[in-house]
Amino acid sequence: MTLPDLLIPTYVQMLGVLSTWLTKAGAQRSAGDAEALLATRLAPDMFPLATQIRFACRQAQEGVFRIRQHDFPPSLQTLLDEGRNAGERPGTLADAQARIAETLAVLAAAAGESITISPATPIAHALPDGMTFDLTAEQYARDWALPQFYFHVVTAYSILRAQGVELGKADYSSHMFAYLRSPTTS
């Protein structure tokens, strides 16, 4: 299994779940209340739901571009800027769904390309604050790309739950039902 073969399906699966949560939130709330969810935070020093969605999308795209050693397209900076400014301009549920759909399209295109990267390939991951992490591609995928992505997805889930959106464990792990063994009849 290649690293893109691990990352891309994981991102696709969980972004689909995130989209479903937003659809449920929209169905369970009035239009105004549903849109207000995008500005809610778990704690005052945390980013709001709108940012968590955009950052999950950014992490998915960035992980795939970085693992495949491709330059980042300008759309990644747009996601970052929108996420950073979502406290003042959270957008709408339709905007959030559009960002997820755009990310899924990027991932679908990446899945169609056959590129193999050695897990030992060096990756220098620089953060905006000047810190740089020297990792292998495998370490980057395992220790940064997936944990950062899941952090934002789980935070989005937590915000929605804290605001009373009816979600449960089955909503988080709905992808697992595809693997459920049918009970045998005696």
Side-chain angles (χ1 to χ4, degrees):
M1 171 182 286
T2 68
L3 293 174
D5 290 341
L6 172 69
L7 292 176
I8 294 172
T10 301
Y11 293 150
V12 167
Q13 166 181 294
M14 292 310 295
L15 287 171
V17 168
L18 178 57
S19 177
T20 300
W21 300 340
L22 296 177
T23 299
K24 282 188 168 196
Q28 293 176 20
R29 303 285 182 108
S30 69
D33 286 347
E35 300 297 333
L37 287 171
L38 292 167
T40 58
R41 304 166 189 260
L42 280 180
D45 64 342
M46 291 183 75
F47 285 117
L49 176 60
T51 299
Q52 303 303 332
I53 295 162
R54 283 166 177 83
F55 283 5
C57 290
R58 179 178 165 87
Q59 289 296 325
Q61 290 186 43
E62 181 179 315
V64 170
F65 284 114
R66 192 177 302 278
I67 272 298
R68 296 165 71 238
Q69 298 184 312
H70 286 188
D71 291 335
F72 293 165
S75 59
L76 279 183
Q77 187 61 45
T78 301
L79 275 172
L80 182 61
D81 293 342
E82 283 181 4
R84 287 178 175 161
N85 296 318
E88 296 81 38
R89 293 187 303 279
T92 65
L93 284 176
D95 294 334
Q97 292 282 21
R99 292 300 175 253
I100 293 170
E102 291 163 4
T103 301
L104 290 171
V106 167
L107 295 172
E113 294 180 19
S114 178
I115 294 179
T116 304
I117 182 173
S118 167
T121 300
I123 291 181
H125 181 57
L127 299 179
D129 65 3
M131 291 192 303
T132 300
F133 296 95
D134 291 314
L135 308 156
T136 64
E138 180 179 21
Q139 291 166 331
Y140 172 77
R142 182 191 64 222
D143 299 337
W144 181 268
L146 286 174
Q148 289 296 314
F149 172 75
Y150 273 107
F151 174 84
H152 295 294
V153 171
V154 170
T155 302
Y157 175 88
S158 299
I159 290 170
L160 291 167
R161 282 291 312 254
Q163 293 300 311
V165 175
E166 295 175 21
L167 297 173
K169 181 75 176 238
D171 294 293
Y172 182 82
S173 58
S174 60
H175 59 279
M176 290 302 297
F177 291 110
Y179 308 111
L180 183 63
R181 181 181 300 164
S182 297
T184 58
T185 56
S186 24

